[in-house]
Amino acid sequence: MKTRIISIVSFLNLIFFAFYLFAFTAKKDETVINYNDKVLKVRGIVIVDSLGIERAILGAHIPEPNFANGHRIAARGKGGSISGLMLYDHEGQERGGYVTDDGFGNVFLTLDSKTNQQVLLIAEPQGGAAFKMWDRGDNSIHLNVTKEASNLEIIEKGKLIQIKSDEK
Amino acid sequence: MKNNSICHNLFLFFLLIFINVNAQDNDGLYLSKMTGINSVSYTDVYYTGSKDTVLVSKYDGTIEQIVKGSPKSKKVAKINDEIYAITYNFKRKHIAASTLENGIVIINKQNGKVIKKLSLIQTWALRIDYSNDSKFLFANDQRGNRFIWDVDDNYNPIKLPEVMPKGSIYSIKNNVITLITSKKIILWNFLKRELIKEINISASRIADVDLFNNYLNLNFNSCDFFDVAKGKSLFSLQHPSWIRPVESIGGEDAARTSGFLVKNGFFEDTHYQMALTSAKFAKNRIYTASIDKSIRVWDKETGTLIDNLIGHKGTVNKIKVNATENQLVSIDLLGGIKFWNLLD
């Protein structure tokens, strides 16, 4: 009986001692692990700056954008419907991305100011493509190609500028 | 037998050491979801005292109390959700927080515990507030749904009558609801269910309404002051410049060489009139905040620029004026907060 008690006490002692030792185990792993032959399979990667502000997200799906007033806007549907790479400025505002959308099947590149989208380059699933850049409404350039036609539209101060066609 | 026991214990001992040393610490490496948030930014601010004391909220679900002049903030509550707007019930000492996933969360300010969660139909609310008698809480979500809860009846939702006019709820004062659409300001008696007044307007985003229902309308980088009695917009305000520290251009000499006027370590770049984020009335002044990191002070009668309030390092996203209109608090997207004493 005495041996059994000593055995139990020594066993418990070893457990407590192990935990005591664990308190000193600083996990400084300074070895460089080589992942050259590994494939990373994840839902998303988030890049943060020194303040912890998220500056780039590579993921599916991308979250809804935050705006200058300090709130998130329901711009893409609550679940989010676009995937790809999204860039954020030093204040966390969405400023552009290179993404695909689930709804139409478009792939597009966007560049945004702090208040609006300013540049859009898009390829549609059926074969068309468009490039559009604009200020806040009065000036824009729109270039698009479809199966039916190719178009260049320049609007300056709200007025369509005529482009000479069939120029030799 | 004894040797067996010792061997057994030694084996367990080394096994524990092995497990402990090789345990992988992945804390903080994996996220439960992608958020795309700025974790340092304040999202809203609300006065809880007559002046100098406010509550602030953050995207990470933190609510803090900040006192002017105090170097440290006091954490009041932390919820596991993003917070976009907060308001405070002075009688019950309840904080209402508008969140991404949990609707409106009611928090006891005394102990930071969640009392109740009020669900919304769709999306989330960007404007919430209590009525001036603290009896009702209202919210508007982004799809145009409107909600009023009875605070005294354990926040039970009040079914809004069909005769209630359309529009976002702006305020509830003495049982009169102020509703706003892009074309009208409507005053509607909530208890009697009758229309008091309709004012025709033309607005895109109303930032503030004064006692006489004059309002400030924000349209990108301009703020229009609409005088209801005169039935027209009196003037439109634009920040005339982007005021930046001289370090951002390489010092005072570089700023002067580029043709800029230098004053107190800042230079004014008049090529930029940046977007406005917030505007407020206070006594005989109008205050406008912008992504240009400044607040401008304007004369309410003439629209003349009186002063520039500078010092924020990020976009000034919200400004609030205290009840006695002698102090303004401003927050920014880089976690800055400033109290400004207002002069008549």
Side-chain angles (χ1 to χ4, degrees):
Chain A
M1 183 63 187
K2 192 179 175 184
T3 310
R4 190 173 174 80
I5 290 169
I6 289 170
S7 178
I8 290 168
V9 169
S10 64
F11 174 67
L12 290 172
N13 187 35
L14 283 172
I15 289 176
F16 289 130
F17 187 65
F19 278 105
Y20 174 73
L21 284 177
F22 179 63
F24 296 97
T25 55
K27 297 181 194 66
K28 273 192 175 177
D29 188 1
E30 292 176 349
T31 57
V32 177
I33 304 170
N34 188 346
Y35 286 121
N36 279 356
D37 60 344
K38 303 291 182 193
V39 176
L40 194 62
K41 185 177 181 180
V42 292
R43 181 67 63 83
I45 295 174
V46 179
I47 307 297
V48 296
D49 65 17
S50 59
L51 292 175
I53 297 170
E54 297 182 10
R55 305 298 298 272
I57 294 180
L58 181 63
H61 296 92
I62 300 288
E64 297 279 18
N66 284 307
F67 280 83
N69 295 82
H71 53 240
R72 198 184 290 281
I73 295 285
R76 295 192 279 266
K78 199 171 180 180
S81 61
I82 61 167
S83 303
L85 172 66
M86 194 64 79
L87 303 178
Y88 303 85
D89 70 13
H90 73 294
E91 295 184 328
Q93 279 191 260
E94 187 177 297
R95 298 297 297 276
Y98 185 30
V99 296
T100 57
D101 80 85
D102 293 359
F104 294 99
N106 292 325
V107 56
F108 50 100
L109 176 77
T110 66
L111 301 175
D112 309 337
S113 70
K114 283 180 88 70
T115 53
N116 291 83
Q117 193 176 75
Q118 310 292 162
V119 175
L120 174 67
L121 179 59
I122 189 167
E124 296 174 347
Q126 79 279 13
F131 173 61
K132 188 170 186 179
M133 48 197 245
W134 60 99
D135 75 338
R136 293 202 64 261
D138 287 345
N139 302 314
S140 67
I141 296 175
H142 189 184
L143 184 68
N144 75 311
V145 287
T146 63
K147 191 179 177 185
E148 289 77 28
S150 299
N151 297 306
L152 170 61
E153 183 182 274
I154 299 175
I155 294 176
E156 193 171 82
K157 294 177 181 171
K159 288 185 178 176
L160 180 67
I161 293 178
Q162 294 294 334
I163 306 294
K164 191 183 287 184
S165 61
D166 299 330
E167 194 171 32
K168 301 292 180 189
Chain B
M1 178 67 188
K2 197 173 180 180
N3 286 340
N4 279 347
S5 176
I6 290 169
C7 285
H8 182 242
N9 286 342
L10 279 173
F11 171 74
L12 281 173
F13 172 73
F14 286 114
L15 182 67
L16 280 168
I17 297 286
F18 178 79
I19 289 169
N20 287 339
V21 170
N22 286 282
Q24 293 295 309
D25 183 7
N26 288 322
D27 289 348
L29 182 59
Y30 301 120
L31 305 172
S32 59
K33 60 181 178 181
M34 289 172 286
T35 58
I37 63 164
N38 169 354
S39 54
V40 302
S41 166
Y42 290 128
T43 55
D44 202 5
V45 59
Y46 200 91
Y47 271 101
T48 55
S50 59
K51 65 185 292 193
D52 296 337
T53 307
V54 294
L55 290 172
V56 289
S57 58
K58 289 183 170 180
Y59 280 116
D60 68 0
T62 307
I63 297 173
E64 296 171 349
Q65 180 173 280
I66 294 179
V67 178
K68 184 188 175 188
S70 177
K72 278 191 175 180
S73 60
K74 177 190 166 192
K75 187 189 277 189
V76 174
K78 175 86 168 74
I79 58 174
N80 188 26
D81 203 346
E82 296 176 20
I83 300 176
Y84 306 126
I86 51 171
T87 184
Y88 183 62
N89 188 314
F90 289 88
K91 276 189 184 169
R92 294 181 175 270
K93 301 195 184 316
H94 290 174
I95 301 166
S98 170
T99 68
L100 174 65
E101 300 285 354
N102 290 284
I104 311 296
V105 177
I106 309 299
I107 299 162
N108 184 335
K109 182 176 176 279
Q110 313 282 48
N111 56 22
K113 289 186 177 170
V114 173
I115 300 167
K116 206 168 174 71
K117 291 179 180 177
L118 311 174
S119 62
L120 304 176
I121 300 170
Q122 298 167 302
T123 68
W124 48 93
L126 299 180
R127 178 167 181 81
I128 58 171
D129 207 352
Y130 284 100
S131 57
N132 68 330
D133 57 8
S134 300
K135 289 182 178 175
F136 303 106
L137 173 70
F138 68 85
N140 307 283
D141 76 8
Q142 292 183 79
R143 297 281 184 257
N145 301 302
R146 305 170 298 180
F147 308 86
I148 300 178
W149 295 273
D150 188 338
V151 176
D152 294 336
D153 188 18
N154 195 28
Y155 286 92
N156 271 336
I158 294 171
K159 191 173 183 228
L160 301 181
E162 288 183 5
V163 292
M164 183 170 152
K166 290 181 179 176
S168 297
I169 303 171
Y170 183 79
S171 66
I172 304 178
K173 288 178 182 170
N174 306 322
N175 298 316
V176 174
I177 301 180
T178 299
L179 297 150
I180 290 181
T181 71
S182 60
K183 293 177 180 173
K184 282 179 182 172
I185 293 177
I186 302 150
L187 304 183
W188 194 72
N189 191 304
F190 182 48
L191 292 183
K192 294 179 182 173
R193 300 189 172 190
E194 65 182 24
L195 183 71
I196 298 170
K197 198 176 185 181
E198 271 190 359
I199 302 160
N200 291 321
I201 63 168
S202 176
S204 51
R205 191 179 136 219
I206 290 188
D208 201 11
V209 179
D210 72 7
L211 289 174
F212 307 103
N213 295 313
N214 302 315
Y215 66 91
L216 297 171
N217 180 52
L218 295 183
N219 183 15
F220 182 55
N221 63 358
S222 64
C223 174
D224 297 321
F225 173 50
F226 193 91
D227 188 309
V228 169
K230 292 174 182 169
K232 63 178 182 181
S233 175
L234 291 189
F235 45 77
S236 183
L237 309 171
Q238 267 190 353
H239 286 204
S241 59
W242 184 11
I243 302 173
R244 287 182 279 166
V246 291
E247 295 82 44
S248 65
I249 200 172
E252 280 195 23
D253 292 340
R256 287 200 178 91
T257 306
S258 301
F260 295 119
L261 186 69
V262 177
K263 191 177 174 185
N264 299 328
F266 290 86
F267 70 97
E268 280 200 56
D269 189 341
T270 54
H271 296 100
Y272 293 91
Q273 284 75 47
M274 311 279 267
L276 303 178
T277 55
S278 188
K280 291 288 172 198
F281 290 113
K283 292 183 179 171
N284 56 348
R285 299 278 188 268
I286 293 168
Y287 297 83
T288 55
S290 167
I291 65 173
D292 70 13
K293 306 171 188 175
S294 77
I295 300 160
R296 310 296 173 113
V297 188
W298 312 83
D299 187 291
K300 191 177 174 183
E301 296 297 320
T302 63
T304 310
L305 180 64
I306 294 170
D307 201 2
N308 306 314
L309 305 181
I310 50 177
H312 275 285
K313 291 177 180 172
T315 292
V316 183
N317 56 323
K318 295 264 172 70
I319 55 174
K320 295 279 175 73
V321 176
N322 68 340
T324 51
E325 298 189 352
N326 61 359
Q327 190 179 72
L328 180 142
V329 62
S330 53
I331 53 173
D332 69 44
L333 293 184
L334 292 179
I337 181 166
K338 290 190 178 295
F339 293 88
W340 311 87
N341 288 327
L342 308 181
L343 302 172
D344 287 334

